[in-house]
Amino acid sequence: MIDLHSHSNHSDGSLTPQDLVRYAHQCGIKRLALTDHDTISGVLEAQNEAHKLGMEFICGVEISVSWKKHVIHIVGLGIDISDQNLIEALDIQQNMREERAIAIGEELANMGLDTVYPLAKELAKDAYLTRTHFAKALVKLGFAKNFSDAFKTYLKRGKRAYVHIDWLSLTSAVEIIIKSGGKAVIAHPLRYDLTKTKLKELIVDFKLAGGEGIEVVNSFPSVGALRRLETLCVDYDLLASLGSDYHGHDVNRVRMGALAQLPEKCKLII
Ligand code: AMP
Ligand code: MN
Ligand code: MN
Ligand code: MN
């Protein structure tokens, strides 16, 4: 079983890289990629554990990019984590995260929720803050019923505590991934609320930059979604990726080891 999309507590996952790999192993995963948001700091620990357990490990990352007015996630698979270009680009992304987190904290404080930022920071420990940490804090403090409520009420685009970031451009992110020896994949292509036309434009721009794959299976897709993505792979000559996007038992109900197979006409990217 293969899983090419997962998160550790180096971004917004709950498990340490080592525990994540152990969990994946228990779930029967034979080939695993760790793909934390805008960081590769957990990769070595995960790789060491995977090799101890005799698993195949793929160094990965999930880069946030700005494309037109949208934030898109690009997964890099098989990257070289000692690549200076990649390291520098991710450092810039993380600095922007830090600044955004402070601004989100201020916005929440203006709403009278000044305890959220300190708790989010505590929950993140050494990791840079993601909106997931804010959602966790909002739920723990009783300001939101659950994750989805925390995003809907405060954190989503258009809501009061949403703070915009100009992430790396799509083209730069794809080029950085490729230069470091990796392959670029559009993560969860149906989760961006793009019209069919816009999604096709995204794919065209992505391919022009050198991107090769789209994530056909992300957590538990519907039959309809699988069919749509399979068609895009065929029509645009794209390779396919699959992953649980596991974040930890406490974050959502996604488990590892239960992924749907890639549809017949899809070719696995790695
Ligand atoms: P960030 O990269 O800090 O903006 O945070 C994005 C992360 O927040 C995503 O990777 C998801 O894990 C999580 N997320 C985004 N939207 C939602 C949502 N509506 N419900 C639950 N989690 C979400
Ligand atoms: Mn996440
Ligand atoms: Mn994502
Ligand atoms: Mn992810």
Side-chain angles (χ1 to χ4, degrees), residues 135 138-147 149-151 153-154:
L138 282 160
V139 172
K140 269 196 199 289
L141 292 166
F143 299 134
K145 278 182 288 197
N146 50 44
F147 269 73
D149 183 36
F151 276 90
T153 313
Y154 306 97

Side-chain angles (χ1 to χ4, degrees), residues 9-13 117-130 133-134 136:
N9 66 353
H10 284 241
S11 66
D12 59 351
Y117 177 72
L119 180 58
K121 195 109 181 111
E122 190 185 318
L123 293 172
K125 298 203 180 91
D126 295 332
Y128 284 92
L129 288 183
T130 66
H133 298 108
F134 281 99
K136 275 188 190 175

Side-chain angles (χ1 to χ4, degrees), residues 140-191:
K140 269 196 199 289
L141 292 166
F143 299 134
K145 278 182 288 197
N146 50 44
F147 269 73
S148 147
D149 183 36
F151 276 90
K152 259 191 236 154
T153 313
Y154 306 97
L155 301 168
K156 256 178 85 153
R157 186 162 164 185
K159 297 300 164 183
R160 185 140 168 217
Y162 179 81
V163 178
H164 172 83
I165 296 189
D166 273 322
W167 297 109
L168 270 172
S169 72
L170 173 73
T171 304
S172 310
V174 170
E175 285 175 357
I176 287 165
I177 288 168
I178 294 170
K179 271 199 198 135
S180 84
K183 290 174 187 283
V185 173
I186 301 176
H188 40 71
L190 303 184
R191 235 199 270 156

